């Protein structure tokens, strides 16, 4: 049970790679539910091709709640964070 003064948050990690089909529609559905249930939602976009975040594509379809944060790990950043290793899958 949540006590008075406590909050609930969620962290969602994904990338804009079209995996599974209808990715933007599924993402909007997911974020609508989380924004309705949580005090804060943090979306981390990891290494999207062309550095085009999935959130940037679907933002017009989302409610303006002020409870959604966006962290984007660009392709360059992902490469640096993995020490440019060829053995690490960047997706």
């Amino acid at each position: 049970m949540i006590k008075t003064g406590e909050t609930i948050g969620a962290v969602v990690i994904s990338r804009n790679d079209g995996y599974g089909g209808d990715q933007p529609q599924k993402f909007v559905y997911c974020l609508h539910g989380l924004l309705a249930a949580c005090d804060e939602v943090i979306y981390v976009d990891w290494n999207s091709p062309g550095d085009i975040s999935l959130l940037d594509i679907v933002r017009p379809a989302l409610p303006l709640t002020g409870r959604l944060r966006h962290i984007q790990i660009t392709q360059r950043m992902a490469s640096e964070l993995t020490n440019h290793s060829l053995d690490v899958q960047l997706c």
Side-chain angles (χ1 to χ4, degrees):
M1 177 172 233
I2 299 173
K3 298 177 185 175
T4 303
E6 292 183 333
T7 60
I8 296 177
V11 177
V12 178
I13 302 169
S14 188
R15 65 192 306 255
N16 182 22
D17 62 359
Y19 182 79
D22 296 323
Q23 189 179 22
Q25 181 179 351
K26 292 174 185 174
F27 187 54
V28 168
Y29 183 79
C30 173
L31 287 181
H32 270 276
L34 289 172
L35 289 169
C38 297
D39 299 298
E40 179 179 36
V41 177
I42 300 169
Y43 171 62
V44 180
D45 187 274
W46 176 265
N47 191 30
S48 283
D51 292 336
I52 300 170
S53 173
L54 185 56
L55 184 60
D56 292 336
I57 293 169
V58 303
R59 192 177 299 269
L62 298 173
L64 298 174
T65 63
R67 297 189 317 264
L68 178 60
R69 291 183 47 210
H70 182 205
I71 299 170
Q72 185 171 9
I73 307 300
T74 64
Q75 291 178 316
R76 187 190 99 255
M77 293 166 70
S79 181
E80 290 174 7
L81 288 167
T82 57
N83 293 320
H84 309 285
S85 173
L86 298 177
D87 297 325
V88 176
Q89 186 175 355
L90 293 178
C91 63

